[in-house]
Amino acid sequence: MDIINAIILGIIQGLTEFLPVSSSGHLEIGKAILGDQSVPEESLLFTVVLHFATALSTIVVFRKDILELIKGALQFKWNEDLQFVAKIVISMIPAVIVGLFFEEQLEALFGGNILLVGSMLIITAALLFFADKAKDTNKKVSFSNALIIGVSQAIAMLPGISRSGATISTSVLLGNDKTKAARFSFLMVVPLIFGKIAKDILSGDLAYNSSHITSLSIGFITAFVAGLFACTWMIALVKKSKLTYFAIYCAIVGLIAILFSILNG
């Protein structure tokens, strides 16, 4: 992979991990429009590196929150911090089940099915639109909410469904505070990313070559910087009820994808 591709993929990963536009959906559309050879396939190692970069950017943005959660949880009392950690664990259950038992079926959907991607982007747009119209509250994410949000995160494994868009929208539509919803959405994915990284490392499928160090380093840096920007920006956008712009964008891209699929079907 050359340096330009590493930069592009790093920026895409960093931005779309947090912005509600579906990175997987955009990659599938790009491959279909440009051709499989025009958009280089990411190696497993490169994918792991990019995901590690975005996870690290989340940790940096929420470093104070994470530190307080750890301190509170280590008191081994049923306090607010330990309850929040428990909610994170609950939210992970649906995605873990899907990842462990339906991995092959899920991967089969990532084969240039542009009609599916377009349809899922329309659903993402609808979620964002209705979430943006919801009234702001001071409500915190409950245990039952955490499980429902976790289900939406599992559904967001489909190409075209934005993970951040689905989880934040679900949380807000459940009546939770918008800022708290964004915080929970970004923190709940960190353990999953590290779990996926550990799974890939333990699988023994990672192939490292010293000649890849430049592209890996550049991809990591661009994904990390883009992730810092996108995560911080997204929190502000949710708080200011600016998700409608992303809803319009997803709707337009979704309709274009559906039209493209029909015309080339």
Side-chain angles (χ1 to χ4, degrees), residues 72-83:
L74 289 178
Q75 293 178 11
F76 299 107
K77 297 179 181 178
W78 194 238
N79 53 29
E80 187 174 339
D81 294 320
L82 188 56
Q83 289 178 38

Side-chain angles (χ1 to χ4, degrees), residues 3-208:
I3 293 177
I4 299 299
N5 287 332
I7 293 174
I8 293 173
L9 291 173
I11 292 174
I12 290 175
Q13 170 63 26
L15 291 178
T16 56
E17 179 65 41
F18 302 103
L19 299 183
V21 295
S22 177
S23 57
S24 60
H26 278 67
L27 182 58
E28 290 298 306
I29 292 173
K31 285 160 61 178
I33 294 176
L34 301 175
D36 287 341
Q37 300 303 317
S38 299
V39 178
E41 295 289 330
E42 299 171 74
S43 67
L44 180 57
L45 178 60
F46 193 74
T47 302
V48 168
V49 169
L50 293 189
H51 277 94
F52 178 71
T54 50
L56 190 60
S57 66
T58 307
I59 292 173
V60 170
V61 172
F62 290 101
R63 59 191 180 279
K64 293 181 180 178
D65 300 70
I66 294 173
L67 187 59
E68 292 203 1
L69 284 173
I70 294 173
K71 287 181 178 179
L74 289 178
Q75 293 178 11
F76 299 107
K77 297 179 181 178
W78 194 238
N79 53 29
E80 187 174 339
D81 294 320
L82 188 56
Q83 289 178 38
F84 189 90
V85 172
K87 292 171 187 176
I88 292 290
V89 173
I90 291 172
S91 74
M92 292 167 54
I93 294 173
V96 170
I97 292 174
V98 172
L100 289 177
F101 297 103
F102 301 98
E103 186 175 9
E104 291 184 6
Q105 294 88 335
L106 191 63
E107 289 178 352
L109 299 175
F110 288 81
N113 191 341
I114 303 306
L115 182 60
L116 173 64
V117 171
S119 301
M120 295 302 101
L121 279 170
I122 297 297
I123 292 176
T124 296
L127 283 171
L128 293 172
F129 177 79
F130 288 117
D132 213 30
K133 302 302 178 184
K135 294 181 179 179
D136 204 3
T137 68
N138 290 316
K139 181 184 174 185
K140 299 177 182 179
V141 176
S142 66
F143 285 96
S144 59
N145 287 169
L147 182 59
I148 296 172
I149 296 168
V151 170
S152 70
Q153 177 168 247
I155 295 173
M157 291 181 176
L158 293 170
I161 297 287
S162 163
R163 193 210 65 83
S164 62
T167 53
I168 292 174
S169 296
T170 300
S171 184
V172 170
L173 290 172
L174 287 171
N176 295 304
D177 174 79
K178 292 180 179 179
T179 302
K180 291 183 176 67
R183 176 176 177 262
F184 188 81
S185 171
F186 294 147
L187 289 176
M188 69 187 282
V189 75
V190 174
L192 283 177
I193 292 177
F194 281 115
K196 181 64 168 62
I197 290 173
K199 180 176 178 291
D200 291 334
I201 292 174
L202 293 174
S203 70
D205 294 332
L206 296 181
Y208 173 73

